Amino acid sequence: LRAAAEIGIRVPEELSVIGCGDGYLAEILELTTLYQPHIDLGTRAVEVLLGAIENPGSAPVDRALPVEIVQRRTAGPVRP
Protein backbone atom coordinates (compact mmCIF):
# COMPACT_ATOMS: atom_id res chain seq x y z
CA LEU A 1 0.00 0.00 0.00
CA ARG A 2 2.82 2.36 0.85
CA ALA A 3 4.72 1.60 -2.37
CA ALA A 4 1.60 2.15 -4.46
CA ALA A 5 1.00 5.48 -2.74
CA GLU A 6 4.63 6.53 -3.25
CA ILE A 7 4.40 6.08 -7.02
CA GLY A 8 0.92 7.49 -7.35
CA ILE A 9 -1.08 4.32 -7.94
CA ARG A 10 -4.59 4.59 -6.52
CA VAL A 11 -5.91 1.67 -4.46
CA PRO A 12 -8.41 0.15 -5.31
CA GLU A 13 -9.10 2.18 -8.48
CA GLU A 14 -5.89 1.12 -10.27
CA LEU A 15 -4.61 -1.71 -8.07
CA SER A 16 -6.39 -4.18 -5.83
CA VAL A 17 -4.52 -5.46 -2.80
CA ILE A 18 -5.74 -8.62 -1.06
CA GLY A 19 -4.08 -10.30 1.91
CA CYS A 20 -4.28 -13.84 3.28
CA GLY A 21 -5.53 -14.26 6.80
CA ASP A 22 -7.73 -11.78 8.52
CA GLY A 23 -6.65 -10.13 11.72
CA TYR A 24 -6.37 -6.94 13.69
CA LEU A 25 -3.81 -5.33 11.37
CA ALA A 26 -5.95 -6.04 8.30
CA GLU A 27 -8.80 -4.20 10.01
CA ILE A 28 -6.60 -1.20 10.82
CA LEU A 29 -5.24 -1.02 7.26
CA GLU A 30 -8.72 -1.66 5.84
CA LEU A 31 -7.13 -4.49 3.83
CA THR A 32 -9.38 -6.84 1.88
CA THR A 33 -8.44 -10.38 2.89
CA LEU A 34 -9.10 -14.06 2.30
CA TYR A 35 -10.17 -15.80 5.48
CA GLN A 36 -10.21 -19.48 6.40
CA PRO A 37 -11.09 -20.70 9.88
CA HIS A 38 -7.76 -21.57 11.53
CA ILE A 39 -9.18 -24.13 13.95
CA ASP A 40 -10.83 -26.04 11.10
CA LEU A 41 -7.58 -25.93 9.11
CA GLY A 42 -5.63 -27.36 12.04
CA THR A 43 -8.26 -30.03 12.75
CA ARG A 44 -8.31 -31.17 9.12
CA ALA A 45 -4.50 -31.20 8.94
CA VAL A 46 -4.29 -33.46 12.01
CA GLU A 47 -6.97 -35.78 10.59
CA VAL A 48 -5.05 -36.11 7.31
CA LEU A 49 -1.76 -36.68 9.14
CA LEU A 50 -3.22 -39.35 11.41
CA GLY A 51 -4.82 -41.05 8.41
CA ALA A 52 -1.45 -41.11 6.61
CA ILE A 53 0.24 -42.58 9.70
CA GLU A 54 -2.45 -45.27 10.07
CA ASN A 55 -2.43 -46.11 6.32
CA PRO A 56 1.10 -45.42 5.04
CA GLY A 57 0.41 -46.60 1.49
CA SER A 58 -2.81 -44.67 1.01
CA ALA A 59 -3.32 -42.10 -1.72
CA PRO A 60 -2.77 -38.43 -0.90
CA VAL A 61 -5.83 -36.63 0.43
CA ASP A 62 -7.12 -33.51 -1.26
CA ARG A 63 -9.43 -31.48 0.97
CA ALA A 64 -10.56 -27.93 0.51
CA LEU A 65 -12.08 -25.62 3.06
CA PRO A 66 -14.30 -22.70 2.15
CA VAL A 67 -12.64 -19.34 1.74
CA GLU A 68 -14.41 -16.14 2.71
CA ILE A 69 -13.53 -12.79 1.19
CA VAL A 70 -13.57 -10.04 3.79
CA GLN A 71 -14.24 -6.97 1.67
CA ARG A 72 -12.58 -3.74 2.80
CA ARG A 73 -11.25 -0.68 0.99
CA THR A 74 -8.19 -2.17 -0.83
CA ALA A 75 -10.07 -4.09 -3.51
CA GLY A 76 -13.00 -3.37 -5.73
CA PRO A 77 -16.03 -5.61 -5.73
CA VAL A 78 -14.96 -9.26 -5.85
CA ARG A 79 -16.94 -11.61 -8.07
CA PRO A 80 -17.75 -15.08 -6.69
Side-chain angles (χ1 to χ4, degrees), residues 8-51:
I9 295 176
R10 297 174 302 144
V11 175
E13 294 83 1
E14 298 175 287
L15 174 70
S16 290
V17 179
I18 300 176
C20 292
D22 186 51
Y24 180 70
L25 188 56
E27 288 183 42
I28 291 173
L29 296 174
E30 298 182 56
L31 178 67
T32 297
T33 58
L34 298 177
Y35 171 78
Q36 284 186 311
H38 296 95
I39 293 174
D40 291 345
L41 283 171
T43 301
R44 295 258 177 119
V46 169
E47 290 170 357
V48 169
L49 177 61
L50 292 175

Side-chain angles (χ1 to χ4, degrees), residues 55-78:
N55 303 302
S58 62
V61 176
D62 183 15
R63 293 192 183 175
L65 290 173
V67 175
E68 178 184 338
I69 298 172
V70 180
Q71 185 76 44
R72 296 195 178 94
R73 76 166 188 83
T74 63
V78 180

